[in-house]
Amino acid sequence: MKHHPDLFDARTLHNDTRLLFKLKLLLGTVCAYGGEVPLSLTALAKRMGTSTYRIRILLQKLEFEGIVHYNDAGTLFFNQYVFVQDQAEASKENLYAKNFAFFTCDEFLSEDRNVQRFVLHYVGKELIYIPGNFRWGYLNDLYGPTGLLNIRTPKEARNILIKASKYLNIRIHTENFQVLHVHQKWIDMGEIYSEGAELWVFKQLKKHRFCCEFLSRKAVWQIAKVMEDYYAKFGYDYATEIFDTALFNIQLNKMRSQTFLNMIYREDSEYIVTDEKNELDEISAYFRSVMESAELNYAVQLSMDLEVVHQKKQMAETQLFVNDSLLEINQELMEVAEEQQREIWDKLRRIHHCWLIRFRQNPEWFVERHYQIKTLPAPILEIKLEIEKYILNQKSKAV
């Protein structure tokens, strides 16, 4: 995950304290799929060098501003991120702001607040780090009631440009200015890269009782690559459900999964990576096959859950008018069952949609599992027809 350019918009930074801005940068660095923040409140406070109370207060402020939110399970999500898949070409949709290390150095943070805001705006929001990119600006856009900065006169604007020239190559003219690039001194301090994917995978592995202290970090990145691909294709909810199901299946049958466990519990230096053999790629290939199997197991479990809910609803319906004293209870049971039915139905529809996409890429996987897919309930319908049509076509070609 990358920082969204809006995070650096000077208009939103006016009331940010140092600690609040550093927290925003940290959240953007550690957030993962869907913007989920895989660190606890205590872990965030430890990284920020402050108390959990202060972090909680700051998060409440960010929640009010719409920068973070919590889901029904109480999980924290950061909203100002950009998902950029590895090797993806830059486009207007996935442009992001680099998190330069100098943003949080003492020298920069001791500058006048408006100087900080100007630099952050033009480095982050205007994305001047792109090679060959530059930005024009007008002095009268910086001051006044509608100005970018909290200043009143052209003289103040010019003074800020002069001070900001310490960090940016700026050409100042009578009425306008040109921002060219960040000075090499500050670029050489480096960037702070996202660690969200790694933290998220570790969090899920710990949840499923993997011994993370002995895991290879390289192996974790290979697992994250598979999750990244699922997230890019199918979204947060579906990818997370399948990821959790895959880890559950591995822990459920350790004999069957021993090969995978032997792959990931190694020293980083032990992996063979040559033109003939790449053991790191074998990890992601194996885990992808586990994820694909988990999809089917997940769908089968949902169909079983649907049947249980259907039976519960039927029992409540048959008892509805038998006993007046239980009438209200049975009505409540029916309402709960109907809501559960809708939730399961929606999940099955989402699986069906994802399978239709994958069927066009790899129909053989579905043919091999045709018997199990045939038993799934009504939302899984079109894929069944597609598989049967494919099988008939293959038979006709063989004749």
Side-chain angles (χ1 to χ4, degrees):
M1 302 298 154
K2 308 292 186 182
H3 291 80
H4 196 286
D6 286 350
L7 185 67
F8 296 87
D9 190 331
R11 295 173 183 85
T12 68
L13 301 174
H14 176 57
N15 294 317
D16 283 8
T17 61
R18 287 187 187 184
L19 192 64
L20 181 58
F21 179 67
K22 289 172 76 172
L23 177 60
K24 285 182 180 180
L25 289 179
L26 176 62
L27 293 174
T29 301
V30 303
C31 77
Y33 313 104
E36 180 183 342
V37 178
L39 294 181
S40 66
L41 202 67
T42 304
L44 288 172
K46 186 176 180 180
R47 289 202 178 203
M48 294 287 295
T50 187
S51 66
T52 55
Y53 172 77
R54 292 190 73 183
I55 295 297
R56 189 179 292 110
I57 296 299
L58 293 175
L59 287 174
Q60 287 175 356
K61 184 178 187 301
L62 293 180
E63 186 179 13
F64 177 77
E65 294 173 355
I67 293 172
V68 302
H69 74 274
Y70 293 87
N71 67 3
D72 293 339
T75 304
L76 177 65
F77 288 81
F78 184 67
N79 300 333
Q80 290 189 324
Y81 71 93
V82 178
F83 172 63
V84 181
Q85 199 167 6
D86 279 349
Q87 312 304 322
E89 293 185 8
S91 67
K92 289 183 179 179
E93 288 72 33
N94 67 6
L95 285 178
Y96 61 91
K98 285 190 177 183
N99 182 7
F100 286 109
F102 82 86
F103 289 163
T104 53
C105 74
D106 290 339
E107 189 172 355
F108 180 70
L109 291 177
S110 65
E111 297 285 353
D112 179 273
R113 195 74 191 97
N114 280 310
V115 174
Q116 292 176 27
R117 289 169 62 205
F118 179 86
V119 172
L120 292 168
H121 185 89
Y122 273 87
V123 176
K125 175 68 175 174
E126 301 295 341
L127 303 169
I128 66 162
Y129 68 85
I130 299 173
N133 195 16
F134 62 88
R135 286 290 184 270
W136 282 102
Y138 290 89
L139 259 68
N140 59 13
D141 290 336
L142 299 180
Y143 61 89
T146 60
L148 185 69
L149 306 175
N150 185 32
I151 53 179
R152 294 173 294 176
T153 66
K155 183 179 178 181
E156 288 178 285
R158 190 174 293 276
N159 286 337
I160 286 168
L161 290 175
I162 292 169
K163 291 179 181 178
S165 297
K166 177 179 178 181
Y167 303 93
L168 306 175
N169 185 352
I170 305 175
R171 294 175 180 171
I172 307 172
H173 303 280
T174 306
E175 296 181 353
N176 52 33
F177 57 90
Q178 186 184 26
V179 183
L180 296 171
H181 55 75
V182 181
H183 289 310
Q184 195 61 42
K185 170 188 175 181
W186 307 106
I187 293 176
D188 289 344
M189 288 181 67
E191 300 171 37
I192 300 172
Y193 296 98
S194 171
E195 52 182 311
E198 183 179 5
L199 291 170
W200 189 90
V201 171
F202 268 120
K203 176 188 175 185
Q204 301 304 105
L205 289 168
K206 285 180 181 177
K207 186 170 77 173
H208 290 274
R209 302 183 64 79
F210 282 77
C211 297
C212 294
E213 290 77 8
F214 302 100
L215 277 171
S216 160
R217 190 163 181 241
K218 288 183 178 179
V220 170
W221 276 108
Q222 293 302 118
I223 296 171
K225 280 168 59 177
V226 180
M227 176 60 189
E228 179 183 89
D229 188 49
Y230 263 75
Y231 173 72
K233 291 177 179 175
F234 309 125
Y236 172 81
D237 291 332
Y238 184 74
T240 304
E241 292 272 16
I242 300 306
F243 191 92
D244 276 342
T245 304
L247 294 182
F248 176 78
N249 290 343
I250 289 172
Q251 291 290 53
L252 189 65
N253 193 333
K254 287 191 172 62
M255 287 291 290
R256 188 182 62 189
S257 306
Q258 194 60 46
T259 303
F260 179 69
L261 298 177
N262 288 336
M263 286 179 176
I264 63 176
Y265 287 112
R266 286 205 217 170
E267 295 294 330
D268 286 351
S269 58
E270 292 179 8
Y271 290 105
I272 299 171
V273 181
T274 65
D275 293 338
E276 292 76 29
K277 185 178 180 64
N278 189 326
E279 291 184 331
L280 291 175
D281 285 348
E282 289 174 8
I283 295 172
S284 55
Y286 188 97
F287 190 70
R288 185 178 297 278
S289 69
V290 175
M291 288 275 280
E292 290 173 349
S293 297
E295 287 185 80
L296 187 55
N297 294 340
Y298 180 59
V300 170
Q301 184 60 53
L302 285 176
S303 67
M304 294 168 62
D305 293 344
L306 189 65
E307 181 60 29
V308 170
V309 172
H310 180 67
Q311 291 177 0
K312 185 169 69 173
K313 184 182 175 184
Q314 277 189 322
M315 288 180 62
E317 286 174 341
T318 56
Q319 298 294 320
L320 191 59
F321 300 108
V322 172
N323 189 330
D324 290 341
S325 63
L326 297 177
L327 178 62
E328 188 175 340
I329 295 174
N330 285 325
Q331 284 178 330
E332 289 177 0
L333 285 173
M334 286 174 60
E335 289 174 4
V336 170
E338 286 174 358
E339 179 60 30
Q340 290 174 337
Q341 272 186 329
R342 282 193 292 271
E343 289 177 3
I344 296 172
W345 213 254
D346 287 343
K347 290 179 179 180
L348 286 168
R349 283 199 193 97
R350 189 166 64 230
I351 290 175
H352 187 233
H353 172 72
C354 296
W355 279 0
L356 284 173
I357 296 171
R358 280 187 47 218
F359 180 79
R360 300 180 187 100
Q361 302 166 347
N362 184 16
E364 287 76 18
W365 186 89
F366 294 91
V367 171
E368 292 171 9
R369 295 156 179 81
H370 185 213
Y371 178 77
Q372 289 169 289
I373 294 172
K374 278 173 62 176
T375 64
L376 297 175
I380 312 293
L381 178 61
E382 189 179 346
I383 191 72
K384 297 178 188 177
L385 299 175
E386 291 289 335
I387 296 169
E388 290 168 4
K389 190 190 301 181
Y390 180 84
I391 292 171
L392 287 173
N393 286 338
Q394 294 300 104
K395 286 180 178 178
S396 63
K397 288 178 183 178
V399 173

